[in-house]
Amino acid sequence: MDTRFCLRAVGKTYRNRRTGRSSVQALAGVELNIRERCVNAIVGRSGAGKSTMARIIMGFEKPDHGLVLYRGRPLAEAPLQIFRRHNQMVFQNPYLAVNPLFTVRQIISEPLRVAGANPAASFEKLTEVLELLELPVEYLERLPHELSGGELQRVALARALVLEPEFLVLDEPFSALDDLTAMRILLQFKKIFLRLRLGILFVSHHPRHVQALADRVAVLEQGKIIGQ
Ligand code: ADP
């Protein structure tokens, strides 16, 4: 199976947020291959370094040691606009990740507008992703606070899929939901990932979610991979 991201001896240290002096080693010597077209999971306790790794892979932050390769070449050299189009991120709390004043229609179609897609193509794509996520058309005119957490997380996935990415990073996407909703949405997402043959990096502290969704699992503890 092909490797999409390869982490070689990746390290990242932050200054302590409170004192500003002593430092926190969020990642230390991380070696990891993340494959195309399957669900790669990173599991670990809170504070293990999972979100730091997700942000580094998405290019939001730079490691201070080591190298991240994207399809065999340094990530730092990848053209950013194309990279962002092909690699999208879904965040933990959908209420914080979307503009609360936007309707569902505006939320989902914003990436298309920014990419300069024509209105007819945009409408076609919009209805396609709604159908994929089993969201009723009436929801298009609703505002985020009129949806449940599970519905809004489906809207967030629809938004991430609208530009037809190849790879998604999901940072704890089910942990703001109650257990039953989380499992139901997770299984729906799994079907969609398989159908679209997407590659996924799934970050979670929830072993049951990882077991249900992942094809490959790496365990992170105190910034180090301790098992895969
Ligand atoms: P996880 O996602 O596994 O909960 P994080 O990657 O968020 O872990 O954090 C790993 C460690 O790095 C923690 O000790 C956290 O407090 C610290 N950390 C993360 N981001 C920052 C930051 N921007 N500034 C200072 N410390 C940070």
Side-chain angles (χ1 to χ4, degrees):
M1 216 183 282
D2 296 341
T3 298
R4 189 172 186 87
F5 294 93
C6 175
L7 279 66
R8 289 199 187 143
V10 165
K12 179 80 186 175
T13 303
Y14 294 109
R15 274 170 185 251
N16 185 300
R17 277 193 257 231
R18 267 168 294 131
T19 65
R21 269 179 276 120
S22 58
S23 56
V24 183
Q25 192 164 31
L27 296 176
V30 170
E31 301 275 345
L32 188 66
N33 289 330
I34 295 167
R35 310 272 190 217
E36 305 270 17
R37 291 180 288 281
C38 71
V39 178
N40 304 262
I42 306 289
V43 64
R45 290 199 193 94
S46 172
K50 306 182 297 297
S51 294
T52 302
M53 190 193 282
R55 289 196 300 269
I56 285 176
I57 285 167
M58 283 301 289
F60 295 140
E61 276 190 62
K62 294 202 166 28
D64 37 35
H65 290 286
L67 186 65
V68 180
L69 297 175
Y70 172 58
R71 297 170 135 180
R73 299 181 58 98
L75 174 62
E77 292 170 13
L80 199 61
Q81 224 181 341
I82 301 172
F83 177 81
R84 289 262 183 272
R85 192 179 174 126
H86 291 165
N87 302 274
Q88 299 271 334
M89 187 147 179
V90 176
F91 296 94
Q92 177 173 359
N93 187 336
Y95 293 99
L96 298 177
V98 301
N99 185 333
L101 303 176
F102 272 16
T103 61
V104 168
R105 179 194 297 277
Q106 287 171 311
I107 291 167
I108 300 179
S109 53
E110 196 197 11
L112 290 162
R113 190 182 55 76
V114 172
N118 76 54
S122 294
F123 185 71
E124 202 172 303
K125 198 67 218 171
L126 191 68
T127 49
E128 192 185 312
V129 290
L130 277 183
E131 210 171 290
L132 193 63
L133 270 299
E134 296 168 28
L135 288 162
V137 190
E138 303 85 78
Y139 278 31
L140 282 177
E141 307 316 322
R142 292 202 187 172
L143 290 165
H145 75 267
E146 297 174 309
L147 303 183
S148 70
E151 287 168 340
L152 195 58
Q153 198 54 294
R154 280 151 65 199
V155 168
L157 182 64
R159 181 184 201 277
L161 292 178
V162 86
L163 290 177
E164 301 181 1
E166 299 162 356
F167 192 87
L168 295 177
V169 174
L170 310 177
D171 190 356
E172 306 267 14
F174 312 112
S175 58
L177 308 173
D178 68 80
D179 247 15
L180 216 65
T181 311
M183 237 12 188
R184 194 163 43 79
I185 298 211
L186 180 153
L187 294 174
Q188 186 191 17
F189 281 19
K190 185 174 180 169
K191 266 199 287 181
I192 293 171
F193 300 157
L194 272 172
R195 188 162 145 196
L196 300 180
R197 301 192 73 228
L198 282 171
I200 305 289
L201 176 65
F202 174 45
V203 166
S204 178
H205 68 275
H206 208 309
R208 223 157 57 89
H209 294 173
V210 170
Q211 202 180 20
L213 191 61
D215 300 305
R216 314 173 67 239
V217 182
V219 184
L220 196 62
E221 194 175 295
Q222 295 184 338
K224 295 193 176 78
I225 299 283
I226 57 157
Q228 54 182 307

